[in-house]
Amino acid sequence: MRWSKEGWDYRSRGRTRYRYKYRLVAELRDGGKLVIMFYHPFKSKSLRTHKELAGAASRIVMDVLPQEALEKIRDVEIIVERDKTLDLVREVA
């Protein structure tokens, strides 16, 4: 089974807030392995950024998946990748 969602999310760093467009694809494979592919526009390859975006992906996927799919999950793999075509808006507070 496969689900996808596109939308906007927010990420803050100090007084700067970033509004970014994401694309999420979740696939439940045989054996209960859930693979989440989360595409974002950020350049940074830091572990902190990667962890924040993986957290956003896990939060968003809970809204996308139906309850019966959540019950079948045995293992989760989150893949976070940059997609230069997605929009990024910087807002300073």
Side-chain angles (χ1 to χ4, degrees), residues 6-24:
E6 287 191 15
W8 290 89
D9 200 18
Y10 294 91
R11 180 171 166 245
S12 294
R13 177 76 74 230
R15 291 179 22 169
T16 305
R17 185 169 108 158
Y18 298 94
R19 184 167 53 100
Y20 65 96
K21 186 159 187 149
Y22 66 84
R23 186 171 61 251
L24 179 133

Side-chain angles (χ1 to χ4, degrees), residues 34-53:
L34 178 68
V35 179
I36 303 167
M37 290 154 287
F38 190 71
Y39 301 96
H40 64 87
F42 294 100
K43 290 183 201 172
S44 175
K45 295 186 184 286
S46 75
L47 183 59
R48 181 177 178 180
T49 299
H50 188 84
K51 283 182 176 180
E52 287 176 2
L53 294 170

Side-chain angles (χ1 to χ4, degrees), residues 7-90:
W8 290 89
D9 200 18
Y10 294 91
R11 180 171 166 245
S12 294
R13 177 76 74 230
R15 291 179 22 169
T16 305
R17 185 169 108 158
Y18 298 94
R19 184 167 53 100
Y20 65 96
K21 186 159 187 149
Y22 66 84
R23 186 171 61 251
L24 179 133
V25 179
E27 184 178 338
L28 186 59
R29 297 182 178 166
D30 293 338
K33 182 167 187 165
L34 178 68
V35 179
I36 303 167
M37 290 154 287
F38 190 71
Y39 301 96
H40 64 87
F42 294 100
K43 290 183 201 172
S44 175
K45 295 186 184 286
S46 75
L47 183 59
R48 181 177 178 180
T49 299
H50 188 84
K51 283 182 176 180
E52 287 176 2
L53 294 170
S58 60
R59 176 177 39 83
I60 293 166
V61 82
M62 296 303 283
D63 295 335
V64 174
L65 298 182
Q67 185 63 35
E68 60 270 7
L70 292 174
E71 295 168 358
K72 295 178 182 177
I73 297 172
R74 300 286 172 250
D75 188 22
V76 177
E77 179 181 353
I78 301 176
I79 301 166
V80 179
E81 291 187 9
R82 181 176 183 213
D83 183 348
K84 295 177 186 179
T85 64
L86 296 173
D87 296 328
L88 176 64
V89 179
R90 184 177 177 199

